[in-house]
Amino acid sequence: MRDVERTAQSRAAAENALRIALRDRGRVSRGGEINRDSTVAEVGELWLAEIDRAVRLGKRSPTTSEAYRYRWDRHVRDGLGMLRVRELTVSRLDRLVVQVHDRYGVGAAKTTRTVLSGLVGLAVRHDALDRNLVRDVRRIENATSTARSLTTAQAVDLRAKISADPKSREWDLVDFTDFMLATGLRIGEAAAVTWPALDLDAGTVEVRGTVVRVKGEGLQIKPRPKSKSGYRTLELPAWAIAMLRRRRAESVPNDWDVVFTAPLGGLRDPSNTQSDLRKIFDRAGYEWVTSHVYRKTVATLMDEAGLTARQAADQLGHAKVSMTQDNYFGRKIAQTGAANVLEIFSNPGGKPGVDLDEDAASGA
């Protein structure tokens, strides 16, 4: 219960102002309507419904929707759900983000902030708030770190060790990791590449989608990469083309016509593949390497060869060149220059190994 009062220059005017205030405060959400007395829980569910609709229309990734729902259920609903929209303040929102950051880390805090911004933005669009308060909530920054990539000598050594590892061959990771190094693709993008997306005569691959796990439905190929910039056609180095020709000659048909299936024949799960790769990298003595290091290696080699940040961004599928520059080192074209750069890993037969001069072999 709350006391409500209004003042005016006469009793009648004050009573009338009070009636209007009580009327507006007493309104409840009906049919998707949001007002200042709507609870954060109501607004959050309406916002998540909008996200789900965007997923159905193909404008949002199912994994993004699941990530938002998880943070909503885990942090936001319990932390702020009972509050009214009018009770939201910058300090309350900021405090929740800081608590999530301190307990669960940077990634969780960033997603929580995004969820808060989305639902508060929805309240603004319904005129329940004048502005999005989350704009004044402190931004969560990653710890400053330099992007580490493989040197040429390290990449050659790691390829040789992966090729010689029985588990790598059993899990079909030799060609898969070579393909990632030849293209800089994300795991999900590489797992979604189909034979029709390859033009081995032209030496190109078209990135058309990514493999995702949808809750209640399992693995599927989402016909859209991570971002609009993810749609791209890339040149392939000759050694990768040779590997793919060999693989096509040995391939067994599958329901999705993908180039790289899971060891048992289904779609390759990016999460499981990441786990397998960690084991393989550890066994090879490269504990610090992840699949993302392959992307950074491609970007770094392109930068060292004098190619532009725009070309590297095109190769990696980044919407912003600054992302590539800050974290990895025209648009949607095949001539990024990566294929010529990545020919350094070429040798007869398409197997790991490279003819390097003495300086290159030593990593100089």
Side-chain angles (χ1 to χ4, degrees), residues 119-241:
L119 67 89
V120 174
L122 179 60
V124 172
R125 295 199 300 275
H126 282 250
D127 298 316
L129 289 173
D130 295 330
R131 64 187 179 89
N132 193 327
L133 303 172
V134 182
R135 292 176 182 172
D136 294 323
V137 172
R138 75 190 74 186
R139 293 191 176 276
I140 305 298
E141 302 293 340
N142 288 319
T144 302
S145 62
T146 56
R148 187 177 181 184
S149 62
L150 292 162
T151 65
T152 301
Q154 287 174 330
V156 172
D157 181 58
L158 179 56
R159 288 185 67 217
K161 289 179 177 177
I162 291 176
S163 180
D165 190 319
K167 276 295 182 184
S168 295
R169 294 195 295 272
E170 179 184 339
W171 294 339
D172 193 19
L173 290 176
V174 179
D175 290 348
F176 188 76
T177 51
D178 269 357
F179 187 72
M180 288 197 298
L181 187 60
T183 58
L185 295 189
R186 302 173 179 91
I187 286 181
E189 291 173 335
V193 170
T194 60
W195 289 112
L198 289 168
D199 185 339
L200 298 184
D201 292 329
T204 61
V205 58
E206 184 179 349
V207 184
R208 301 175 177 176
T210 186
V211 174
V212 297
R213 180 175 291 279
V214 180
K215 189 175 182 179
E217 299 180 27
L219 292 171
Q220 56 184 248
I221 297 178
K222 184 185 71 172
R224 186 171 73 92
K226 187 175 180 180
S227 66
K228 290 182 180 179
S229 300
Y231 288 109
R232 57 205 191 275
T233 300
L234 305 174
E235 289 180 315
L236 294 167
W239 61 269
I241 296 172

Side-chain angles (χ1 to χ4, degrees), residues 13-14 43 56 90 92 98 100 106 118 156 158 181 184 186 188 196 207 221 253 256 276 279 312 318 322 330 357:
V43 179
R56 292 193 297 272
V90 173
R92 277 177 164 159
V98 171
V100 173
V106 172
V156 172
L158 179 56
L181 187 60
R186 302 173 179 91
V207 184
I221 297 178
W256 308 271
D276 291 341
K279 297 173 184 176
H318 288 158
S322 59
D357 59 30

Side-chain angles (χ1 to χ4, degrees), residues 225-331:
K226 187 175 180 180
S227 66
K228 290 182 180 179
S229 300
Y231 288 109
R232 57 205 191 275
T233 300
L234 305 174
E235 289 180 315
L236 294 167
W239 61 269
I241 296 172
M243 176 272 288
L244 290 167
R245 288 188 187 280
R246 170 184 55 77
R247 191 174 182 88
R248 185 170 61 182
E250 300 171 352
S251 66
V252 176
N254 59 77
D255 293 341
W256 308 271
D257 211 13
V258 294
V259 178
F260 303 100
T261 63
L264 296 180
L267 285 177
R268 185 175 281 277
D269 187 330
S271 179
N272 291 344
T273 302
Q274 185 75 270
S275 178
D276 291 341
L277 285 174
R278 280 196 294 268
K279 297 173 184 176
I280 294 300
F281 294 147
D282 288 350
R283 290 157 63 97
Y286 287 84
E287 296 84 356
W288 57 275
V289 173
T290 65
S291 62
H292 241 56
V293 169
Y294 275 43
R295 287 170 59 75
K296 292 177 180 179
T297 299
V298 171
T300 300
L301 288 171
M302 293 178 70
D303 182 48
E304 291 175 350
L307 300 177
T308 67
R310 170 62 66 186
Q311 288 172 304
D314 284 343
Q315 183 76 25
L316 300 184
H318 288 158
K320 295 182 179 180
V321 174
S322 59
M323 165 66 78
T324 310
Q325 291 174 312
D326 294 342
N327 299 290
Y328 289 82
F329 74 149
R331 307 300 294 168

